[in-house]
Amino acid sequence: MNIIEYTTDVNADRTSRQSTTNTTYDKLVSILGEPTYVDMGRHEKVNCEWSMKVEYQNPLSDDPTDTKTDIVTIYNWCTGSIPYTLYPWHIGGKSLIAEELVNAIIRNEISPKE
């Protein structure tokens, strides 16, 4: 997956869980920066979330100028607090490509565009 760039702190309305990725909070912060959303309330369903708008080369095209854009999220779900050890972080998006995008960002340690 060829990620061109991504920005954080975007509106992630109408996304839903697509998959999970096993990693740690510290690894996510080192790559993505501080979370977009944090709520330490133990009764909250989501305590921590990163939302991103990702631009990437269309995987069905050989043309490098043929790009697509998707919104993806990484978040904890119903843990009562932010998990700091290895945890299956939820990946949200509008399609199954969200999992591939998030894993490409984490695997290649791609930082967001400023």
Side-chain angles (χ1 to χ4, degrees):
M1 176 65 54
N2 183 18
I3 306 291
I4 296 168
E5 68 181 25
Y6 72 95
T7 55
T8 58
D9 196 14
V10 298
N11 183 340
D13 287 350
R14 309 192 92 185
T15 60
S16 60
R17 182 184 178 273
Q18 301 297 323
S19 186
T20 61
T21 186
N22 286 316
T23 191
T24 64
Y25 175 85
D26 288 340
K27 172 102 176 176
L28 292 173
V29 169
S30 74
I31 297 167
L32 306 172
E34 292 300 317
T36 306
Y37 168 83
V38 174
D39 187 328
M40 298 304 279
R42 60 175 229 174
H43 298 294
E44 293 298 318
K45 291 182 179 176
V46 173
N47 301 107
C48 178
E49 177 182 71
W50 289 264
S51 59
M52 299 164 280
K53 179 179 174 183
V54 183
E55 183 181 358
Y56 58 99
Q57 183 179 351
N58 184 347
L60 303 176
S61 173
D62 291 330
D63 180 359
T65 63
D66 184 6
T67 62
K68 297 182 85 84
T69 302
D70 273 299
I71 303 294
V72 297
T73 60
I74 303 171
Y75 60 98
N76 73 308
W77 183 253
C78 293
T79 57
S81 63
I82 296 173
Y84 291 100
T85 58
L86 189 63
Y87 172 76
W89 289 89
H90 290 69
I91 298 172
K94 296 181 181 180
S95 68
L96 293 175
I97 195 83
E99 176 183 17
E100 193 173 344
L101 294 172
V102 166
N103 285 325
I105 289 168
I106 292 171
R107 183 176 50 254
N108 297 312
E109 297 190 355
I110 302 168
S111 296
K113 180 181 176 187
E114 293 296 323

